[in-house]
Amino acid sequence: MNLFSALIPPDDVLDEVATALGAPEDGDFRWSRREHWHVTLGFYGEDEPGERGEWLAGRLAAAAAIDVRLEKAATFPGVLWLSVTGTGLHELAVKAGAEDEGRPYTAHLTLARFPRDRPRAASAWEERLAGFTSRTWTATEAVLIRSDREQGASSYRVIRSYELKRARA
C-alpha cells in the first residue's frame, strides 16, 4: 500500500483528455486508466493512513482553492504526461509535502508509461498533444489516496478529502 495526495480533475476535463487521446493503441505503452487520472500533490509511499491523514489535514487547513488547467504533453524517462498549471499549485503541493522527497515538484497528470530504453517512443504523442489545453477549473478539494497492487494492477481508493477554501468576495 502506498499513499499520495492529489487533485482530481472534474469529469468534463477528463472527457477533454480522453477525446484528445482517442483510442490509443501502442503495444509498448501502458496507458493509465481514466479513473486513475489525477494531479499528485505529495507522494508518501508506505505510510499509516490515519497519521498521514491527520498530518495532511493540519498542512491543508488554511489552503485556498486554486484554478487549474491541463496543457501540452511532455515526458519523464518512461512516462508520458500532461503538464498542469495553476496559480498557487506549487505552493499547495509544497504544503502537501511534494518536495519532501528531495526533488523539485513538477505538476503533471500521467497518461502512460513506456520502455525507458526507448526515450523517443512518446515523440508522436508529444506532437499530437502539443496544442492541448483543457478548460480551467477551480480545485476545491484535495484527496488522500491509497494505492494497492492487486494481481499486477493498481487500485486507487480515496480515503480522506480536504476542502480547499474559496476566497470570499
Side-chain angles (χ1 to χ4, degrees):
M1 169 196 57
N2 286 308
L3 298 176
F4 62 91
S5 57
L7 303 176
I8 299 176
D11 284 338
D12 66 312
V13 171
L14 297 179
D15 290 344
E16 291 179 56
V17 174
T19 298
L21 287 175
E25 294 183 21
D26 188 322
D28 284 344
F29 282 68
R30 286 182 296 119
W31 293 93
S32 298
R33 298 191 324 248
R34 176 188 170 122
E35 61 268 20
H36 286 182
W37 289 345
H38 65 273
V39 178
T40 301
L41 296 173
F43 180 78
Y44 315 115
E46 291 188 24
D47 202 355
E48 201 288 310
E51 289 178 19
R52 180 57 68 175
E54 287 304 311
W55 176 87
L56 195 55
R59 299 289 297 257
L60 298 181
I66 56 172
D67 292 332
V68 184
R69 181 178 68 238
L70 303 175
E71 295 182 343
K72 68 182 188 271
T75 61
F76 297 132
V79 180
L80 173 67
W81 47 275
L82 290 175
S83 59
V84 185
T85 62
T87 302
L89 177 58
H90 185 265
E91 293 79 7
L92 178 64
V94 168
K95 284 182 184 179
E99 295 186 339
D100 292 355
E101 303 169 30
R103 62 180 175 202
Y105 176 71
T106 301
H108 67 282
L109 183 145
T110 298
L111 296 172
R113 298 189 184 282
F114 58 92
R116 286 178 176 240
D117 62 354
R118 293 190 50 224
R120 300 298 305 149
S123 297
W125 284 104
E126 286 182 276
E127 289 175 28
R128 178 176 176 169
L129 298 169
F132 178 80
T133 302
S134 76
R135 79 163 176 88
T136 299
W137 80 92
T138 302
T140 59
E141 178 182 72
V143 294
L144 180 61
I145 296 176
R146 176 182 173 151
S147 171
D148 292 298
R149 296 282 297 168
E150 299 168 355
Q151 300 172 349
S154 293
S155 66
Y156 291 178
R157 185 169 51 102
V158 172
I159 57 175
R160 188 160 174 183
S161 29
Y162 306 89
E163 179 185 6
L164 302 177
K165 297 172 180 34
R166 293 183 182 267
R168 295 185 182 183

